[in-house]
Amino acid sequence: MKKLGHCFGLLSDGYGREMFRTGKHQDISVRSTNQFSLEVVMHNKLLHNRLRTMNMSEADIFYIPAYLGLMSFCNRKETKDRIQILKRFLAKSDFFLRGLPHFSSASKIEREMYFYFNEGFTKTITFLGIEKQQSQIEKTHIIAVPYPSYLHHDLGGQSYLTTELSERDIFILLAAGERRSNRDRAKLMDQFEITTKMSYSAFKNHKRNNSSDMVLFYTNECSARAIENTIPWMLKSVFCLQPPGDSPTRKSFYDAMLSGCIPVILTEGQYNPYPFQRFLKYDDFSVLVPLRNITSENQSIYTILRRIQRSEIERLYKNIRLVAKFYQYSLIGKGKFNESDALQPIFAELAHAYNLNYSSD
């Protein structure tokens, strides 16, 4: 895995190096977590989970810790060889041959994992993936789960306590790379008069920046500057825009949720690509805006969001603080804790898929 380089930061159970802490009780750790580290994080979370059993005959469902998404970043040929090794291993497993429930993780988006998902033996495996394509929505073997974000709670189970709404002086924030990955995204970016690479504090101290209703903060996934500065920007923003880029979903959505910045999901059609809609109502904590309103109808995102009543903004913000814990992977602590983080809806999804009994209590 050496070819993955510093960008992946897979130390500390996949969470990466701690950069700083935030939250009123300093119980939220901001780390150099890479968005494609799901396979490592999930494996380590399950190793320490209260539901794990060492008696295979007692297990209701089996986890396959195959790091094939990460491996494909390094060497595609070697990855294909490893797939065949896994296939031969499972062919000797009595539990797999009997058709008992098995699940695994996929660190890359669905279309980039077809080389694996198209193998015949994987059709009976349920995958936890960071993105499920709309065209594949009827397939039951992909469950959309959160990208690993920069933010993690110490133990989970508490409401997120981030910057109060009254302390947020940036009305609309778009944190994005400078690359204009598609025409629709570029049209949205062109609505921003203020663009910057500065930190939030440097920006606010800059004498030319008198107005800051809309800010486009240029970031980069692999830079230390992005890790150190993206979250402080989000902690001071009311709305965080989430346009599609190379794919419909963004890790930035989860960074925003965990920073208390209300996500504005710019949807293609009526399809919301984000996870856990079986259990959580997105209109309770986010705003969905059809992308065509910006691209085809030439509407201003500023005008659209300014129409939202203050009472509604307060409701959305309050609800984010209640559900944010379900969109993050809490740090692994001592002992085996209840899964008061993303694992709670993930286990509920698996229980629904396989008709299993599950209680988070």
Side-chain angles (χ1 to χ4, degrees):
M1 288 290 183
K2 289 183 179 179
K3 291 184 180 179
L4 291 179
H6 72 281
C7 178
F8 278 74
L10 298 175
L11 299 176
S12 302
D13 299 318
Y15 293 95
R17 180 169 62 92
E18 182 171 272
M19 308 297 288
F20 59 92
R21 284 185 166 258
T22 187
K24 291 192 175 179
H25 303 295
Q26 296 295 295
D27 54 355
I28 302 173
S29 177
V30 181
R31 292 179 170 254
S32 57
T33 310
N34 185 270
Q35 62 181 331
F36 300 121
S37 63
L38 177 68
E39 292 163 341
V40 183
V41 170
M42 186 58 61
H43 184 192
N44 284 294
K45 290 283 288 182
L46 295 175
L47 284 174
H48 295 85
N49 191 264
R50 66 185 176 95
L51 298 179
R52 184 189 180 201
T53 177
M54 301 301 291
N55 186 342
M56 295 180 71
S57 64
E58 292 180 350
D60 295 310
I61 188 168
F62 296 81
Y63 182 68
I64 303 170
Y67 293 13
L68 294 169
L70 278 178
M71 187 172 291
S72 67
F73 281 102
C74 302
N75 187 312
R76 182 61 66 90
K77 181 182 183 302
E78 183 179 348
T79 304
K80 290 182 178 179
D81 292 340
R82 294 285 179 173
I83 290 173
Q84 298 310 309
I85 292 173
L86 176 61
K87 180 179 180 180
R88 292 193 293 270
F89 172 82
L90 293 175
K92 297 177 182 179
S93 167
D94 179 59
F95 299 98
F96 189 75
L97 294 175
R98 284 161 51 194
L100 295 179
H102 283 66
F103 73 110
S104 190
S105 301
S107 285
K108 302 177 76 173
I109 62 175
E110 184 177 355
R111 71 166 185 262
E112 294 178 346
M113 295 292 289
Y114 280 163
F115 68 91
Y116 182 29
F117 295 156
N118 285 340
E119 293 283 337
F121 77 95
T122 67
K123 301 302 181 185
T124 58
I125 300 171
T126 296
F127 289 94
L128 309 178
I130 56 175
E131 183 175 287
K132 181 173 182 176
Q133 291 182 238
Q134 184 177 7
S135 61
Q136 308 295 320
I137 198 168
E138 298 303 322
K139 292 187 177 181
T140 58
H141 72 295
I142 305 287
I143 294 175
V145 303
Y147 283 71
S149 167
Y150 291 142
L151 295 90
H152 311 273
H153 205 288
D154 272 341
L155 299 178
Q158 303 179 44
S159 297
Y160 261 69
L161 298 175
T162 56
T163 314
E164 296 291 346
L165 191 59
S166 59
E167 300 174 60
R168 296 170 182 264
D169 55 1
I170 307 297
F171 186 60
I172 300 174
L173 177 72
L174 174 57
E178 292 184 76
R179 185 170 66 92
R180 301 159 76 86
S181 55
N182 60 61
R183 185 174 60 182
D184 293 342
R185 185 181 177 116
K187 195 162 187 176
L188 177 66
M189 294 170 76
D190 287 341
Q191 292 195 5
F192 286 79
E193 294 183 1
I194 299 176
T195 64
T196 186
K197 294 182 181 180
M198 295 181 186
S199 67
Y200 170 81
S201 58
F203 175 86
K204 296 304 292 185
N205 288 331
H206 199 276
K207 61 181 181 181
R208 291 179 298 173
N209 297 315
N210 298 318
S211 173
S212 55
D213 267 355
M214 288 181 63
V215 176
L216 171 51
F217 172 62
Y218 286 128
T219 183
N220 184 299
E221 173 64 24
C222 288
S223 74
R225 182 186 64 83
I227 300 169
E228 294 169 356
N229 292 329
T230 300
I231 301 307
W233 270 104
M234 290 183 170
L235 288 169
K236 289 294 188 177
S237 300
V238 177
F239 290 106
C240 287
L241 302 188
Q242 308 301 331
D246 295 329
S247 68
T249 57
R250 307 177 75 218
K251 184 187 75 71
S252 176
F253 168 86
Y254 304 101
D255 292 330
M257 284 288 296
L258 301 170
S259 301
C261 185
I262 301 167
V264 179
I265 304 171
L266 290 123
T267 61
E268 298 178 297
Q270 298 300 313
Y271 176 59
N272 175 4
Y274 289 95
F276 306 149
Q277 295 181 55
R278 190 186 309 278
F279 311 104
L280 299 171
K281 291 180 60 179
Y282 272 68
D283 57 5
D284 279 343
F285 55 85
S286 64
V287 177
L288 274 65
V289 176
L291 188 59
R292 67 173 181 274
N293 290 9
I294 307 298
T295 57
S296 301
E297 301 177 13
N298 295 318
Q299 295 184 28
S300 161
I301 190 63
Y302 180 82
T303 301
I304 292 171
L305 296 180
R306 274 298 183 196
R307 292 186 184 128
I308 300 176
Q309 296 293 321
R310 181 69 181 183
S311 59
E312 174 64 3
I313 293 174
E314 290 172 351
R315 184 187 75 90
L316 294 169
Y317 176 73
K318 178 182 177 181
N319 287 332
I320 280 182
R321 297 173 78 158
L322 297 177
V323 303
K325 63 182 181 180
F326 299 123
Y327 289 90
Q328 58 89 38
Y329 301 95
S330 297
L331 297 179
I332 298 170
K334 297 179 181 179
K336 297 185 178 182
F337 300 94
N338 287 8
E339 52 283 353
S340 300
D341 61 359
L343 260 64
Q344 186 172 330
I346 286 171
F347 284 171
E349 289 278 17
L350 288 167
H352 179 269
Y354 288 111
N355 196 28
L356 301 173
N357 291 322
Y358 164 69
S359 173
S360 60
D361 298 329

